[in-house]
Amino acid sequence: MASSNWPAVVESELPHGSVVTSSGRVSGVHEAGAVFKEAPFSDDERLAMDNVLTEATRATKVRFNIYIGDLGADPAAGADAVFPATPEAARSVLIAVSPNDKAIEVRSGREVADRANDRVCQLGVTAALSSFRQGQLIDGLVSAVRVMAAAIGR
């Protein structure tokens, strides 16, 4: 029988915003800026987002990043400013959404620009817009990532 010195994860004792994924990994979010009394997304929404980002990254070997927040008066310039600070920016795709401005911007890094080209980025935006119009931000982002990952392929 195998044994381990690691304690089992007790899901009920995890901090708010953390979940145990189907693979057994603990995934958590950090709320940037002012502390919310209540997190803006449910645990199920965060889990769906985490799963689709993980699946897409594994399937394509392209790092997918999501930014939700104010992009400023010029959303394109805001996305350009955010993108270099994202993890593995050179080999990643950023989907940046400014919900209050109803703006979505997609950027791809120089190492994956040939695979995550303008056509693929536009497919992602188009996939997201239908859900966004219905007020479903996370569903739209999940759709965008899935469509872009399928278009990028391996």
Side-chain angles (χ1 to χ4, degrees), residues 88-106:
E88 302 178 61
R91 59 176 234 47
S92 72
V93 169
L94 168 67
I95 302 172
V97 178
S98 183
N100 294 338
D101 299 320
K102 296 183 166 94
I104 180 170
E105 295 285 334
V106 181

Side-chain angles (χ1 to χ4, degrees), residues 40-41 66-72 75 95-105 132-133 135-138 141:
F41 304 110
I66 302 290
Y67 174 86
I68 302 170
D70 185 28
L71 293 171
I95 302 172
V97 178
S98 183
N100 294 338
D101 299 320
K102 296 183 166 94
I104 180 170
E105 295 285 334
F132 287 1
R133 288 184 185 119
Q136 301 296 320
L137 181 62
I138 298 299
L141 290 169

